[in-house]
Amino acid sequence: MPELLWPSERYKDSFLNAAREAQEAGSGLGDTLALNLPAVTADFAAYLSSLRQYEPGQPLPEGYVHSETLWLVEGGEYLGRVNLRHTLNARLREFGGHIGYEIQPSARGRGYATQALHLALERARDLGLERVLLTCDVVNLGSRRVIEKGGGVLEGEFTVPGHTEPIRRYWIPL
Ligand SMILES: CC(C)(COP(=O)(O)OP(=O)(O)OC[C@H]1O[C@@H](n2cnc3c(N)ncnc32)[C@H](O)[C@@H]1OP(=O)(O)O)[C@@H](O)C(=O)NCCC(=O)NCCS
């Protein structure tokens, strides 16, 4: 069974393969597509620290909320990741929500995102959240299905400034 774990050097090779695959396919979360892979490969420890920079206990830059990144791992291989925001600000309330996820392209269609969300909801519950907001593009049928299978209750469809696609907002009570 896959697990959600803290990012670690142990998964360096499979993480880099997954990020390369996402970039070649042009399909993944924005920061993965924008990742400078040669720099990350050269100093993976610095990349791992950057993933932990918004965790509680660290000083937050203006406009940021506490958040964490967890990796979905199975059999020693990186498969995808979850970003979990501990609170919302006005922008995240509109678009972004508490939880974002991605699965590496070659691992999709096997239920991993469904499992990642299930594990992320357990983590959110452990953190004391009472309900979480998830948003996705209206055209992202895969993500819609994942959220609906996870118990998402549709708030509605919206357009948001700075984002070209209409979005859906869902709430999941915990
Ligand atoms: C969206 C994404 C996370 C789905 O990951 P996945 O591991 O393939 O999802 P699952 O295998 O858990 O599929 C869950 C359900 O969605 C359906 N599904 C998955 N991709 C789909 C697609 N492109 N179109 C329609 N349905 C899709 C599956 O059939 C499954 O439904 P079922 O259980 O009724 O059969 C993945 O495509 C991805 O990483 N996309 C890029 C990043 C992204 O969009 N993240 C979400 C941002 S809101």
Side-chain angles (χ1 to χ4, degrees), residues 27-29 99-104 107-115 135-137 140-143 145-147 149:
S27 176
L29 294 177
I99 297 176
Y101 42 76
E102 72 181 338
I103 299 298
Q104 97 176 81
R108 291 181 192 166
R110 288 191 252 153
Y112 284 125
T114 304
Q115 294 182 63
T135 73
C136 66
D137 289 355
N140 193 339
L141 299 182
S143 192
R145 182 84 187 112
V146 169
I147 298 168
K149 283 172 56 170

Side-chain angles (χ1 to χ4, degrees), residues 50-160:
S50 75
L51 292 179
R52 307 203 65 161
Q53 65 186 312
Y54 304 123
E55 288 179 17
Q58 311 280 359
L60 277 181
E62 180 71 27
Y64 282 71
V65 298
H66 286 303
S67 68
E68 60 192 43
T69 298
L70 296 163
W71 284 359
L72 189 76
V73 168
E74 188 177 51
E77 298 285 309
Y78 171 94
L79 292 168
R81 78 175 156 126
V82 163
N83 291 332
L84 174 56
R85 266 81 65 175
H86 296 187
T87 52
L88 299 177
N89 58 21
R91 175 65 183 157
L92 290 166
R93 171 65 181 84
E94 193 171 42
F95 177 59
H98 288 96
I99 297 176
Y101 42 76
E102 72 181 338
I103 299 298
Q104 97 176 81
S106 60
R108 291 181 192 166
R110 288 191 252 153
Y112 284 125
T114 304
Q115 294 182 63
L117 177 58
H118 176 76
L119 294 167
L121 295 176
E122 282 182 359
R123 172 70 182 153
R125 206 175 282 121
D126 287 347
L127 287 167
L129 277 71
E130 290 175 358
R131 59 176 194 154
V132 288
L133 176 68
L134 288 97
T135 73
C136 66
D137 289 355
V138 170
V139 294
N140 193 339
L141 299 182
S143 192
R144 280 169 54 168
R145 182 84 187 112
V146 169
I147 298 168
E148 286 165 10
K149 283 172 56 170
V153 179
L154 184 66
E155 180 180 275
E157 294 189 355
F158 306 88
T159 53
V160 291

